[in-house]
Amino acid sequence: MDLIDLRSDTVTRPSEAMRAAISAAPVGDDQFGDDPTVNLLQARIADLLGKEAALFLPSGTMANQIALRLYTRPGDDVIVSRQSHAVWHESGAAAANAGVQFTEVGAEGLFTADDVAAAIKAPGHLLYPPTTLVEVENTHNRAGGVIFPTAAATSICAVARGHGIATYLDGARLWNAAGSLGRPIGELAAPFDLVSVALSKGLGAPGGSLIAGSRDDITRAVRYRRMAGGAMRQIGIFAAAGLYALDHNVDRIVDDHANARLIGERLAASPRVRLDLATVQTNILVIGLTNDAPDGPTVVARARERGVLVFAFDPRTIRAVTHLDVDRMACLRAADVLADIVSGAN
């Protein structure tokens, strides 16, 4: 029985055509700026995001950490959404690497310009650390892949700019937001000083993220990449996968959203599931389990026995993520399996 792996959209495997692109990629030493394929990818991403320059990084977590190094000093304060990736999913890296603290605002992955204005801590205060960065996550992982409203992001960046505060968009799944909205990805990136995007999530590449911003910021980021151990050599093999993904896997990303909706509608019908279908906007489902349902680890274990892999956030929450390696029929089958388990049928 083939496993239906919904633990994350990072579990995809390169297609044969992507592998062929990797094999054929011309490469060079990226630390000397000599890898033509990564140079091409960086230029293309910068153009897509409407920024002056871009830089390849091994991971989205490194992208988030470099943003902190660029715009903060130890002891500074960073405004983020509640349950953001930077706070919850990076093993305390912000404290260890940048020495910053976070102020979480808003609810369910979203916040407003008024929330930012109320949370800003001015420099020079006797007691409070200065706010030097505002970070937006789009789409928001733990909120179920919800899309951050473009108008709100624009207003937030305007408020931050008025206070001399930098802005960063954690756009690991920005392709999903743009696909769902039917808008150019550069439009979503435009208000921010720095933007990151991932190749290894909705686009199906085996690894890599990029940050894009001003030429000066990207030049400084090269140093922080090396300090973090992220400077590599012949990374054209990763860049080639990214270029292939940009050509072939962007337009189809809406299929993942439709498949997530299929699973969501099936599970939301169960009285043992807490799932607001209004939050099922892209490819992530964060599924709450009532007290009379099996707990998260039990659902995960029983689903695995029946060939479906999902992830437990906590005892009463599981996550399922659709991607290009699971088609509509697989998602329908997974929905049936999960619904049976939650109902107590197995």
Side-chain angles (χ1 to χ4, degrees), residues 155-317:
S155 297
I156 286 165
C157 291
V159 168
R161 192 174 301 111
H163 287 80
I165 296 169
T167 55
Y168 168 60
L169 174 58
D170 174 1
R173 293 185 174 91
L174 197 62
W175 311 104
N176 294 89
S180 181
L181 295 172
R183 300 166 79 169
I185 196 168
E187 188 175 318
L188 308 188
F192 295 89
D193 296 314
L194 189 75
V195 182
S196 69
V197 289
L199 305 172
S200 60
K201 295 184 171 67
L203 297 192
S209 289
L210 291 97
I211 53 172
S214 71
R215 197 167 303 280
D216 286 346
D217 283 348
I218 296 303
T219 297
R220 291 197 299 134
V222 172
R223 179 189 178 211
Y224 291 126
R225 180 180 69 172
R226 184 168 183 82
M227 290 172 67
M232 296 188 288
R233 300 296 180 177
Q234 290 75 22
I235 54 174
I237 57 175
F238 282 102
L243 289 167
Y244 178 91
L246 291 176
D247 289 336
H248 298 90
N249 294 343
V250 173
D251 290 343
R252 58 137 315 274
I253 210 165
V254 294
D255 298 340
D256 301 336
H257 304 168
N259 288 336
R261 188 77 187 186
L262 287 175
I263 298 173
E265 289 174 350
R266 177 74 171 89
L267 294 179
S270 170
R272 292 185 170 188
V273 166
R274 294 191 300 268
L275 178 61
D276 180 0
L277 286 174
T279 67
V280 185
Q281 300 171 9
T282 54
N283 67 323
I284 301 176
L285 295 151
V286 174
I287 304 154
L289 305 169
T290 63
N291 289 334
D292 58 343
D295 65 17
T298 299
V299 172
V300 169
R302 292 179 180 173
R304 178 182 282 272
E305 291 171 357
R306 297 179 61 179
V308 177
L309 303 182
V310 291
F311 184 80
F313 271 159
D314 59 49
R316 289 288 148 198
T317 311

Side-chain angles (χ1 to χ4, degrees), residues 15-83:
S15 65
E16 289 303 315
M18 183 180 282
R19 289 174 183 271
I22 292 170
S23 178
V27 298
D29 191 318
D30 182 59
Q31 289 197 51
F32 291 113
D34 292 342
D35 192 303
T37 309
V38 77
N39 290 343
L40 177 60
L41 175 65
Q42 289 172 163
R44 188 165 173 186
I45 290 292
D47 183 63
L48 284 170
L49 296 177
K51 304 301 182 184
E52 291 180 348
L55 181 68
F56 183 92
L57 303 169
S59 72
T61 294
M62 185 177 288
N64 291 350
Q65 293 305 305
I66 286 178
L68 296 176
R69 297 302 303 272
L70 282 173
Y71 299 124
T72 70
R73 298 178 64 185
D76 284 358
D77 181 68
V78 179
I79 295 174
V80 295
S81 59
R82 297 196 188 279
Q83 294 196 315

